[in-house]
Amino acid sequence: MIKKIVTIALLMMILIVSGCFGNEQNEQQIQQGFLTVADPESITVLVNKEYAFPEGYEPKDLVYPNVPFIFNEKIEKRMMREEAAKYLEKMFNAANLQNIHLAGVSAYRSSQTQTTLFNNYVERDGIEKAKTYSAVPGTSEHQSGLAIDVSGSDGSCAADDCFANTEEAAWLEDNAHNYGYIIRFPKDKDNITGYKYEPWHIRYVGVNLATELYNEGLTLEEYYE
């Protein structure tokens, strides 16, 4: 009887240990296959489904841009890198003068926060579907501190497909490049960027490059080809 109990206990321990190793292997497989960007601090850094930030990367010059957000808390997702924040303020002010009232939805996102979000999406929709609208941890533009999701000041259609039909989206499409921003995941380019059309997701790359991409109708991926 004692031998039988010991045997069962040993088998249970083997199964538990095997399961732990299996989970670790699955997590490593999710992280494998990415190239690490050479200069994560570059304003024009390309981060996508092929290129990832170094593990634990965090920008050194995060600040709080002086623009309205759809929430009041002074928290992580309100932050951006200093240069991007400066030009975001200029863009919001210019839009206000044309009676277009923008608001921030989500800007900087740490790798830890992205991991939590991505895992929640995977649990809800499965990993393949989740990867069409959410970045694998380490590959999110939000981690750069150069990207921000925006909406109208009332927050309606925030990070939603209906934003595409708003006057705010139209204004961004025509004017964001003047302030160094691009629509990072444009319409009909999902086969290139790997993400569906997101008119609310804008990315700072500097005025010169943003203007070039706008005039040529290029994505950041096509620019680097």
Side-chain angles (χ1 to χ4, degrees):
M1 183 67 179
I2 294 175
K3 285 185 177 180
K4 186 174 182 181
I5 293 172
V6 171
T7 301
I8 292 173
L10 287 171
L11 286 172
M12 289 179 67
M13 288 178 66
I14 291 170
L15 288 172
I16 291 170
V17 171
S18 297
C20 291
F21 285 147
N23 288 338
E24 289 178 1
Q25 185 177 2
N26 288 339
E27 290 173 359
Q28 289 171 356
Q29 286 173 349
I30 290 174
Q31 296 300 325
Q32 286 174 355
F34 298 115
L35 298 172
T36 301
V37 297
D39 185 6
E41 292 290 319
S42 172
I43 293 296
T44 60
V45 64
L46 173 65
V47 181
N48 58 15
K49 292 180 182 291
E50 296 181 21
Y51 294 91
F53 285 113
E55 185 175 354
Y57 169 73
E58 182 178 329
K60 298 180 177 64
D61 58 346
L62 291 170
V63 298
Y64 293 101
N66 185 22
V67 300
F69 276 73
I70 62 173
F71 55 87
N72 296 319
E73 297 82 5
K74 207 169 185 180
I75 53 180
E76 175 187 279
K77 66 179 182 178
R78 201 180 186 112
M79 303 178 79
M80 296 194 76
R81 289 187 60 186
E82 189 171 8
E83 183 177 334
K86 174 184 174 182
Y87 278 87
L88 186 75
E89 292 169 359
K90 291 182 178 182
M91 183 170 67
F92 273 45
N93 289 336
N96 282 333
L97 292 175
Q98 298 180 46
N99 204 33
I100 299 294
H101 304 293
L102 302 170
V105 175
S106 181
Y108 173 68
R109 193 179 299 154
S110 67
S111 59
Q112 293 90 341
T113 300
Q114 184 65 27
T115 297
T116 299
L117 285 174
F118 185 75
N119 288 343
N120 288 340
Y121 294 142
V122 169
E123 185 176 346
R124 185 186 69 188
D125 295 329
I127 190 167
E128 292 307 318
K129 184 175 180 181
K131 286 163 70 175
T132 66
Y133 63 84
S134 181
V136 172
T139 68
S140 171
E141 285 219 319
H142 287 280
Q143 190 177 344
S144 71
L146 301 170
I148 181 172
D149 297 334
V150 297
S151 73
S153 58
D154 62 0
S156 63
C157 293
D160 193 278
D161 291 343
C162 63
F163 182 69
N165 300 317
T166 65
E167 59 182 3
E168 291 87 0
W171 191 90
L172 287 170
E173 182 76 32
D174 293 336
N175 296 279
H177 64 282
N178 293 321
Y179 307 93
Y181 282 87
I182 59 172
I183 307 299
R184 181 63 180 90
F185 308 123
K187 187 183 296 183
D188 300 325
K189 296 275 190 172
D190 53 304
N191 62 318
I192 297 171
T193 65
Y195 293 100
K196 66 176 188 176
Y197 176 42
E198 293 188 359
W200 60 83
H201 180 105
I202 58 175
R203 158 70 194 276
Y204 183 76
V205 295
V207 174
N208 290 338
L209 180 56
T211 301
E212 180 178 349
L213 295 178
Y214 174 80
N215 289 336
E216 299 294 329
L218 298 175
T219 63
L220 207 50
E221 282 79 9
E222 291 170 308
Y223 173 78
Y224 280 113
E225 283 182 351

